[in-house]
Amino acid sequence: VYTATGRPADAVPLLEDCLPRLRAALGPVHESVAVAAASLADAYRRTGRVADALPLYAECLRARLAAFGPDHPYTDVARSDQ
């Protein structure tokens, strides 16, 4: 919500806290992990932290490839974020 309402800097610490917890609980290829990684990447990008965003976009793509395969629409969205 913070990122969507123009407050991505407020979203960053929350997402930074959430993502490692999701990875630990669900593993690296779960869709919830992919969503959280993409959300944090988007917040980083919107706050000018592009170098921090890129590995998270890649993580999201890897997770979606593993979960859905190369031809799924979710994978295509992650691919377009690269």
Side-chain angles (χ1 to χ4, degrees):
V1 173
Y2 285 129
T3 301
T5 58
R7 296 171 52 195
D10 292 328
V12 167
L14 300 173
L15 292 164
E16 287 175 334
D17 181 59
C18 178
L19 183 56
R21 293 171 189 266
L22 286 172
R23 285 181 188 133
L26 302 173
V29 297
H30 194 279
E31 174 59 9
S32 293
V33 174
V35 169
S39 295
L40 180 54
D42 189 47
Y44 280 159
R45 182 183 55 81
R46 290 173 186 246
T47 57
R49 296 174 61 182
V50 176
D52 292 323
L54 292 174
L56 293 170
Y57 283 131
E59 177 181 354
C60 177
L61 177 58
R62 282 191 306 274
R64 287 186 171 165
L65 281 167
F68 300 114
D71 299 321
H72 195 279
Y74 288 169
T75 304
D76 289 338
V77 170
R79 196 175 285 118
S80 73
D81 287 337
Q82 297 292 300

